[in-house]
């Protein structure tokens, strides 16, 4: 875990250093102490912001960007970026983002491998009719049932993939230490 934090801090430091290493030049649109930003980088960040796409919005974005950079530089000078709570927060963010990305990618991959067939849709509709849960005709409910079955199959495929990961890994749990025994 500690190695992950150190890795990401080094990576962020390198990115920051590389961004700062560019000296003032014709392509420098914004400089805040050692931080420099090109016009293209500024425009990309502005385009991805929620600021209004007009001159006033761009000026407000610039003002806020400079304020953010000054605050971040001051926080680094104070050593806030090395405090344990900050490092834990970076680690939590890193894990959360990585989990979101693997789940999205694997779900998308598995979605292409899953199919729902007409007879499955018909059988599900019949079950719903038997239980009194059908809220319309077969034709009216067709898309809803198909989507529901597709989601169930995708979830089952994902869980099967996850089960395979677990089976091919070394996992140890001391339930006594966790108060689960």
């Amino acid at each position: 875990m500690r190695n992950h934090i150190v890795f990401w801090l080094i990576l962020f430091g390198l990115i920051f250093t590389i961004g700062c290493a560019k000296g003032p030049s014709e392509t420098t649109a914004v400089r805040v102490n050692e931080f420099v930003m090109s016009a293209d980088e500024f425009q990309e960040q502005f385009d991805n912001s929620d600021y209004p796409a007009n001159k006033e919005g761009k000026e407000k974005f610039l003002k806020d960007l400079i304020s953010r950079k000054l605050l971040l530089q001051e926080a680094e000078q104070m050593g806030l970026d090395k405090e344990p709570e900050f490092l834990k927060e970076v680690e939590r963010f890193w894990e959360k983002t990585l989990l979101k990305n693997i789940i999205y990618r694997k779900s998308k991959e598995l979605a292409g491998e899953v199919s729902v067939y007409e007879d499955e849709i018909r059988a599900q509709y019949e079950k719903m009719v038997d239980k009194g849960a059908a809220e319309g005709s077969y034709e009216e409910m067709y898309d809803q049932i198909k989507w529901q079955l597709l989601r169930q199959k995708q979830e089952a495929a994902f869980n099967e993939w996850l089960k395979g990961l677990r089976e091919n890994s070394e996992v140890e749990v001391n339930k006594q230490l966790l108060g689960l025994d």
Side-chain angles (χ1 to χ4, degrees), residues 125-137:
Y125 178 75
E126 294 302 328
K127 284 181 190 175
M128 293 172 77
V129 168
D130 291 345
K131 292 180 182 178
E135 298 175 0
S137 69

Side-chain angles (χ1 to χ4, degrees), residues 96-168:
K96 182 179 176 182
T97 303
L98 199 56
L99 280 170
K100 182 183 85 168
N101 289 343
I102 185 65
I103 289 170
Y104 173 78
R105 254 191 212 165
K106 195 61 183 180
S107 295
K108 188 175 176 182
E109 176 188 320
L110 293 171
E113 299 173 5
V114 175
S115 298
V116 176
Y117 301 100
E118 186 75 32
D119 60 332
E120 294 172 310
I121 300 168
R122 173 77 59 195
Q124 181 65 24
Y125 178 75
E126 294 302 328
K127 284 181 190 175
M128 293 172 77
V129 168
D130 291 345
K131 292 180 182 178
E135 298 175 0
S137 69
Y138 176 73
E139 292 76 19
E140 293 170 332
M141 297 192 67
Y142 180 88
D143 289 337
Q144 177 185 351
I145 295 169
K146 183 176 180 178
W147 181 83
Q148 185 179 40
L149 290 173
L150 188 61
R151 299 295 300 156
Q152 288 172 358
K153 284 186 167 189
Q154 289 171 348
E155 185 177 337
F158 184 85
N159 288 335
E160 192 62 31
W161 172 75
L162 187 57
K163 180 181 171 187
L165 287 179
R166 191 176 297 241
E167 289 171 354
N168 293 320

Side-chain angles (χ1 to χ4, degrees), residues 172-181:
E172 295 179 21
V173 177
N174 185 329
K175 289 187 176 188
Q176 186 177 11
L177 285 177
L178 298 176
L180 298 171
D181 200 20

